[in-house]
Amino acid sequence: DSGVTQTPKHLITATGQRVTLRCSPRSGDLSVYWYQQSLDQGLQFLIQYYNGEERAKGNILERFSAQQFPDLHSELNLSSLELGDSALYFCASSPWDGGYNSPLHFGNGTRLTVT
Amino acid sequence: AQKITQTQPGMFVQEKEAVTLDCTYDTSDPSYGLFWYKQPSSGEMIFLIYQGSYDQQNATEGRYSLNFQKARKSANLVISASQLGDSAMYFCAMRESETSGSRLTFGEGTQLTVNP
């Protein structure tokens, strides 16, 4: 158990809809990273927050947004969903902003299916 | 250019034998970390082993060892005495100190199948 909690585990929704994915980092971790894993794109970094502030952005679509709350949990909002948004979405956490010598600890992911 | 390259989409190994999964990386950052993760069919991402760019010795964690060749920019994972439960997707990944937030950048992965 990595200590990172993601809910829900599965989500099935229709095109055009909006969903919210939730992540609680490991106790004491201040950084949250969001990743998307799809068959054709592999594991893609979306966005990172540290102690409530956005710190880095990757290949995140404008239809997607995220935030980190004062209790450090994070939410990833996906809107105007398209079939191609179907993927496994991971949240990962680490204690610091940056640093290269410690692993990111991943949650079990939310599997999103857009029909 | 690809930062992490895993050239073996699939690998097969007999139970109890050793297997090497290849990984090469590309960075100009002198400070970086290399990581291997395991993703079973159930989907979770499990951290296996870490190697830092300044580490003189190869990392080991139980049956996992990392063959780090800095000049060649390679960080191959060696799994000894393979078990059926080792069947999974394996990802090589890198964190660079100069990248904002030090995100993990992943390779495409290698699907390992352990045969009885």
Side-chain angles (χ1 to χ4, degrees):
Chain A
D1 183 2
S2 68
V4 179
T5 303
Q6 286 189 251
T7 56
K9 287 187 178 181
H10 302 277
L11 206 45
I12 302 174
T13 190
T15 55
Q17 295 299 305
R18 172 189 168 96
V19 297
T20 297
L21 282 52
R22 182 188 169 102
C23 168
S24 293
R26 287 192 321 164
S27 177
D29 284 359
L30 300 178
S31 263
V32 169
Y33 301 74
W34 286 97
Y35 283 81
Q36 179 194 57
Q37 184 179 30
S38 58
L39 285 175
D40 56 343
Q41 296 281 337
L43 271 155
Q44 297 287 320
F45 167 72
L46 296 178
I47 197 164
Q48 179 223 352
Y49 280 80
Y50 172 75
N51 205 20
E53 291 190 7
E54 181 185 306
R55 301 295 283 180
K57 251 183 175 178
N59 302 323
I60 188 166
L61 300 171
E62 286 194 11
R63 299 183 286 108
F64 296 1
S65 65
Q67 54 184 329
Q68 186 180 26
F69 294 87
D71 67 352
L72 301 177
H73 91 271
S74 178
E75 292 180 357
L76 180 67
N77 300 297
L78 315 176
S79 63
S80 302
L81 285 167
E82 302 175 0
L83 296 177
D85 298 327
S86 295
L88 186 55
Y89 291 85
F90 283 107
C91 164
S93 72
S94 75
W96 309 287
D97 175 27
Y100 64 91
N101 56 1
S102 60
L104 299 189
H105 296 275
F106 284 77
N108 287 340
T110 293
R111 187 169 296 279
L112 173 67
T113 303
V114 182
T115 62
Chain B
Q2 285 278 70
K3 282 189 173 287
I4 298 287
T5 303
Q6 295 181 253
T7 57
Q8 306 155 314
M11 286 285 284
F12 293 86
V13 65
Q14 287 297 123
E15 198 177 3
K16 299 180 186 176
E17 292 186 351
V19 62
T20 297
L21 306 183
D22 294 342
C23 172
T24 58
Y25 60 93
D26 183 26
T27 182
S28 57
D29 191 336
S31 303
Y32 55 89
L34 297 159
F35 303 83
W36 279 90
Y37 284 82
K38 173 184 178 181
Q39 186 177 37
S41 57
S42 49
E44 68 267 34
M45 292 288 286
I46 302 166
F47 164 67
L48 295 178
I49 194 167
Y50 156 80
Q51 180 85 44
S53 59
Y54 299 109
D55 293 343
Q56 296 295 311
Q57 292 193 325
N58 288 338
T60 59
E61 288 287 348
R63 294 186 299 110
Y64 304 109
S65 61
L66 205 153
N67 184 0
F68 181 46
Q69 298 189 47
K70 194 171 182 177
R72 294 186 179 183
K73 292 190 174 178
S74 75
N76 299 338
L77 177 70
V78 180
I79 305 174
S80 63
S82 296
Q83 301 172 357
L84 296 178
D86 294 333
S87 292
M89 182 73 87
Y90 288 81
F91 291 97
C92 180
M94 177 170 63
R95 296 185 80 182
E96 299 164 281
S97 66
E98 293 176 359
T99 301
S100 177
S102 288
R103 70 195 70 171
L104 263 176
T105 301
F106 286 88
E108 294 294 310
T110 296
Q111 180 68 49
L112 176 67
T113 302
V114 180
N115 295 315

